[in-house]
Amino acid sequence: MEKNIITLAIETSCDETSCAVLRGGREVLSNVISSQIEIHRKFGGVVPEVASRKHIESINSIIQQALDEAKIGFSDVDIVGVTRGPGLVGALLVGISSAKAIAYGLNVPLVGVNHIEGHICANYITHSDLKPPFTCLVVSGGHTYLVQANSYTDYEMIGRTRDDAAGEAFDKVARSLGLPYPGGPLIDKMSYEGNRKAIDFPRPCLDEKGYDFSFSGLKTAVLNYLNHAKQMGEEIVVEDVAASFQQAAIEVLVEKSIKLALERKSKTIVLAGGVAANTGLRNLLESRGKEEGIEIKYPSTILCTDNAAMIGSAAYFNYIDGFTSNFDLNVEPNLELGVK
Ligand code: KG4
Ligand code: ZN
């Protein structure tokens, strides 16, 4: 593989404006991330139009910062990678337009990248020895997928959520407990102070044969528990609710992942996406992995949530496998994994 290829990568699919520079598929020279979380927090979630407007304001300076930190100039860039979907239309358009302008101006290849593939590729950066095939659990704010990675660019979708994504369920439950957006990290933290066996919340799909997930019923069970307790004037121990909810959610995620890995004879399960930062999920998966002789890998925490370095890694592997884009590249808000 051509290890010295310099990739400039751009990610603007949701509420992070990010630009990174990579050498090869695994070495990060810079990864600048400008988060809009503070702006969206007061609305309790991401407001799409506000996100687009913030991206357009900051994208040029973020790109320049990424080049400066990597100590390179535009003329050193060999390929330009950019998230083409899934994500928010207006937000994605900002990144794609910038990437096109740069690739066109420099006369270098443009590589449109699937955001979910990017989340998986974050693991190639953290683990320099990681190679496909492996089983992968993608758990982010917008997506929950069980995937079999057959090669660096061939991802087979096996299971998905039928309703809410895992991160979405964490955020909604957190909101019902009066915690600010995004609530996932706070539930994680709070779980250590609560009893995870205090409330017996349902484990949706756990006993079903397939690999799909569902989190909306679990979220409703938490809301019903809270409403009932309030009506009855019973004390609500927020830490117990957080810990019991988290335990129910992660048990389903872990058991389905282990089941798929055993079926496909995978020696490794890889975690990806924002919820891969959840320490309860990591710990439970590691202990179950140990029992089954399966190695568990996850990205460093900064590479779990949205960032351009992961997009750069995916762009590099796609370029190597011959998947480049034309200048009519468009946003794909509902892009499926595995679609080139
Ligand atoms: O991957 P990501 O940055 O965004 C999407 O592409 O959707 O993931 C953000 C999601 C949010 O829902 C956030 O609450 C969740 O990841 N998250 C966590 C933790 N850290 C971030 N959820 C549970 N535990 C965490 N430690
Ligand atoms: Zn993401």
Side-chain angles (χ1 to χ4, degrees), residues 155-333:
Y155 297 96
E156 189 186 340
M157 174 101 77
I158 313 283
R160 62 196 309 157
T161 181
R162 294 185 191 134
D163 37 58
D164 291 355
E168 198 179 347
F170 269 88
D171 293 341
K172 285 178 177 168
V173 165
R175 194 174 179 169
S176 70
L177 294 174
L179 304 172
Y181 171 85
L186 300 168
I187 296 235
D188 190 7
K189 221 169 152 193
M190 219 172 233
S191 291
Y192 286 95
E193 287 138 43
N195 175 4
R196 60 176 191 255
K197 292 184 179 154
I199 308 146
D200 188 20
F201 288 129
R203 271 74 171 151
C205 303
L206 186 60
D207 300 322
E208 274 182 24
K209 261 189 168 175
Y211 290 104
D212 280 351
F213 301 99
S214 165
F215 291 102
S216 148
L218 172 58
K219 173 197 68 188
T220 308
V222 176
L223 294 180
N224 288 345
Y225 172 86
L226 293 173
N227 287 338
H228 181 78
K230 272 179 208 154
Q231 270 170 12
M232 303 305 282
E234 289 166 7
E235 190 202 352
I236 295 168
V237 183
V238 175
E239 292 80 2
D240 284 352
V241 180
S244 300
F245 158 75
Q246 178 168 299
Q247 188 62 22
I250 65 178
E251 268 181 29
V252 181
L253 292 168
V254 167
E255 289 314 318
K256 294 259 172 186
S257 307
I258 295 278
K259 193 170 123 184
L260 179 60
L262 291 174
E263 190 192 285
R264 293 294 183 106
K265 299 188 170 49
S266 291
K267 293 189 180 69
T268 310
I269 296 176
V270 163
L271 270 175
V275 185
N278 186 276
T279 55
L281 176 62
R282 290 176 173 190
N283 294 341
L284 183 61
L285 194 55
E286 277 181 335
S287 74
R288 285 289 290 113
K290 220 176 221 167
E291 285 169 15
E292 304 289 351
I294 299 166
E295 197 183 7
I296 309 299
K297 292 196 186 287
Y298 41 80
S300 58
T301 303
I302 187 68
L303 294 176
C304 283
T305 42
D306 292 350
N307 68 87
M310 67 185 200
I311 302 303
S313 176
Y316 169 83
F317 288 116
N318 274 280
Y319 172 72
I320 294 294
D321 281 1
F323 298 109
T324 54
S325 308
N326 297 322
F327 280 104
D328 61 357
L329 177 71
N330 207 341
V331 296
E332 305 269 355

Side-chain angles (χ1 to χ4, degrees), residues 12 14-18 34-40 42-43 46-62 90-91 94:
T12 62
C14 191
D15 60 343
E16 265 91 25
T17 317
S18 182
S34 168
S35 173
Q36 306 173 1
I37 279 186
E38 289 309 323
I39 299 160
H40 297 286
K42 54 179 176 286
F43 303 107
V46 177
V47 183
E49 187 173 327
V50 174
S52 319
R53 286 168 183 268
K54 286 292 151 193
H55 286 313
I56 202 88
E57 279 173 18
S58 56
I59 187 80
N60 280 10
S61 66
I62 299 291
V94 176

Side-chain angles (χ1 to χ4, degrees), residues 64-131:
Q64 191 57 53
Q65 210 179 319
L67 291 170
D68 292 347
E69 283 185 20
K71 298 191 172 56
I72 65 158
F74 276 117
S75 59
D76 298 307
V77 172
D78 296 311
I79 61 173
V80 178
V82 63
T83 308
R84 69 181 175 116
L88 304 169
V89 182
L92 288 163
L93 277 170
V94 176
I96 290 198
S97 305
S98 305
K100 276 188 188 180
I102 296 168
Y104 187 77
L106 296 176
N107 194 23
V108 298
L110 175 71
V111 186
V113 169
N114 184 310
H115 180 81
I116 303 301
E117 208 173 307
H119 273 300
I120 299 171
C121 288
N123 283 282
Y124 292 130
I125 298 170
T126 304
H127 309 286
S128 55
D129 55 344
L130 177 66
K131 289 190 179 85

